[in-house]
Amino acid sequence: MPGVRDISAEDFIKAYSSHLKRSGKLEIPTWVDIVKTGSQKELAPYDPDWFYVRAAAVARHVYLRKSVGVGALAKLHGTQNRRGTRPGHHRDSATGVQRTVLQSLEKIGVLEAGQDGGRKISQDGQRDLDRIATAVLEAQRAEEEEEDEEEDEDEEDEAEEDDE
């Protein structure tokens, strides 16, 4: 059975974030429209659904590893701090955002607390993520088959025109 590892991160995160938004179960804080995601940022994210995208990315990241904590996620989602004429350096993202995402995913049952600290994927969460990944993979295969059929029809039409 195909899983999260079998599809690209971009496709999975897009599909899972739309699933989280449609389900309406994920608890969204009131401050998501005004908060910066890190000290190195100047503005809040432009995408109004950025919290769903971040939650999907975090869920995928935890799925692929045994256990992940807030600090590791802050380092993962951090970016370069541009310091004018001086060289830029890496800055971690805001840990409060990462913690809130983990807590929200834990409330809906996707994640659970690990024994050695951090969070790990729950059985229900793993089943849910695998189901989404399978649906995305099937949709991609269906698109490829449609494209192949269209190419075959185009080749047949060209062959008929050459015969005439």
Side-chain angles (χ1 to χ4, degrees), residues 117-138:
R119 306 294 200 301
K120 65 178 188 172
I121 196 88
S122 65
Q123 275 189 321
D124 292 338
Q126 186 171 358
R127 189 178 322 114
D128 196 28
L129 269 63
D130 283 337
R131 185 176 50 80
I132 299 291
T134 303
V136 170
L137 199 61
E138 288 174 357

Side-chain angles (χ1 to χ4, degrees), residues 2-93:
V4 176
R5 294 179 195 273
D6 299 329
I7 61 174
S8 72
E10 182 181 1
D11 294 339
F12 176 78
I13 290 171
K14 185 189 295 184
Y16 192 57
S17 63
S18 67
H19 167 75
L20 289 173
K21 186 172 181 181
R22 269 180 305 178
S23 70
K25 294 179 184 176
L26 192 68
E27 189 175 313
I28 305 297
T30 57
W31 45 257
V32 294
D33 55 341
I34 56 172
V35 72
K36 298 192 317 179
T37 55
S39 63
Q40 72 280 6
K41 297 289 188 177
E42 293 184 5
L43 298 171
Y46 289 125
D47 184 9
D49 299 331
W50 72 268
F51 195 82
Y52 295 106
V53 174
R54 179 66 57 96
V58 166
R60 179 182 181 277
H61 189 77
V62 174
Y63 178 94
L64 297 175
R65 288 156 182 79
K66 292 180 182 177
S67 174
V68 178
V70 173
L73 291 172
K75 184 178 281 189
L76 173 73
H77 291 113
T79 186
Q80 182 180 8
N81 184 23
R82 296 175 58 184
R83 306 183 324 147
T85 58
R86 297 171 297 169
H89 294 293
H90 177 81
R91 290 286 177 265
D92 294 347
S93 68

Side-chain angles (χ1 to χ4, degrees), residues 88-131:
H89 294 293
H90 177 81
R91 290 286 177 265
D92 294 347
S93 68
T95 55
V97 172
Q98 307 301 336
R99 190 175 301 106
T100 306
V101 168
L102 288 173
Q103 289 169 349
S104 296
L105 287 172
E106 203 169 358
K107 281 184 183 175
I108 64 172
V110 175
L111 302 180
E112 59 188 21
Q115 295 173 351
D116 300 330
R119 306 294 200 301
K120 65 178 188 172
I121 196 88
S122 65
Q123 275 189 321
D124 292 338
Q126 186 171 358
R127 189 178 322 114
D128 196 28
L129 269 63
D130 283 337
R131 185 176 50 80

